[in-house]
Amino acid sequence: QKEVEQDPGPLSVPEGAIVSLNCTYSNSAFQYFMWYRQYSRKGPELLMYTYSSGNKEDGRFTAQVDKSSKYISLFIRDSQPSDSATYLCLSGGSYIPTFGRGTSLIVHP
Amino acid sequence: NAGVTQTPKFQVLKTGQSMTLQCAQDMNHNSMYWYRQDPGMGLRLIYYSASEGTTDKGEVPNGYNVSRLNKREFSLRLESAAPSQTSVYFCASSGLAGGVDTQYFGPGTRLTVL
């Protein structure tokens, strides 16, 4: 079992929908949490990060961490076709950062 | 400022052939990484280098070797390629950005082993 679990999808939603992407992790030593976005045939790029439990907002994106349940979420409001990509969560700390498998998101017009 | 560059972009090998994937970064980062990405498996760490002169195994190191040539360059070598090594290979480097250790990825190398 990987230290960071993520449903690979695909997740298909209509334009304008609210999207929820989720990961769970098992290592209590993880201290920070990130979301990377990867477009087809490209390398991943950092989208958001957070250190603590709670919410962090950036435009249409909200990252949420619940350390008590070891649960990481990314919410996308008013989703757009340009949000279609694979979203990877990453957990890090004193260990080498660990990626989830990634969730493929498709936003159709 | 090119970030992380990788060569080649595409490669086709026959079983048993060898090759080296090259990676360079111009961000003065200490840490560098090699990942492979396969459908449904996500990014799996092959090797990493926390600083110039050091390398360590990741999750899937078998069949690979690495060299941290200097602070900028980190190469990945397949000594005897196997079809199971068909994958997309990503190099990354990491450094502090706004107080957060952030990984920056190259564009990837698509390798097919026949």
Side-chain angles (χ1 to χ4, degrees), chain B residues 55-74:
Chain B
T55 61
D56 284 286
K57 296 178 180 179
E59 182 184 356
V60 288
N62 291 345
Y64 305 95
N65 285 301
V66 290
S67 294
R68 184 73 183 267
L69 304 170
N70 47 56
K71 192 170 186 178
R72 288 188 66 248
E73 298 171 290
F74 189 37

Side-chain angles (χ1 to χ4, degrees), chain B residues 35-52:
Chain B
Y35 293 92
R36 60 177 289 173
Q37 188 174 39
D38 303 292
M41 300 298 291
L43 285 165
R44 291 186 291 170
L45 184 64
I46 305 172
Y47 271 93
Y48 66 97
S49 171
S51 62
E52 185 179 353

Side-chain angles (χ1 to χ4, degrees), chain B residues 1-31:
Chain B
N1 191 340
V4 179
T5 57
Q6 292 182 238
T7 56
K9 286 187 169 50
F10 302 93
Q11 184 71 49
V12 179
L13 294 177
K14 294 181 180 178
T15 296
Q17 287 185 317
S18 62
M19 79 162 295
T20 299
L21 281 65
Q22 306 285 355
C23 174
Q25 53 94 7
D26 61 3
M27 294 175 281
N28 201 35
H29 288 163
N30 286 320
S31 298

Side-chain angles (χ1 to χ4, degrees), chain A residues 10-85:
Chain A
L11 178 62
S12 182
V13 302
E15 184 176 354
I18 296 174
V19 175
S20 173
L21 303 167
N22 307 295
C23 290
T24 58
Y25 65 95
S26 57
N27 192 336
S28 299
F30 287 142
Q31 298 169 356
Y32 61 86
F33 308 91
M34 297 177 166
W35 285 95
Y36 279 76
R37 180 173 59 194
Q38 184 179 22
Y39 290 114
S40 180
R41 296 185 172 267
K42 301 286 187 183
E45 293 180 312
L46 179 65
L47 185 61
M48 293 187 70
Y49 69 88
T50 181
Y51 275 102
S52 58
S53 285
N55 294 352
K56 182 175 182 179
E57 204 171 302
D58 184 1
R60 295 184 295 112
F61 299 88
T62 300
Q64 187 176 80
V65 177
D66 183 346
K67 288 189 174 180
S68 62
S69 58
K70 298 188 179 66
Y71 203 78
I72 312 162
S73 298
L74 178 70
F75 299 97
I76 307 175
R77 291 183 298 280
D78 187 25
S79 57
Q80 303 295 310
S82 58
D83 295 328
S84 297

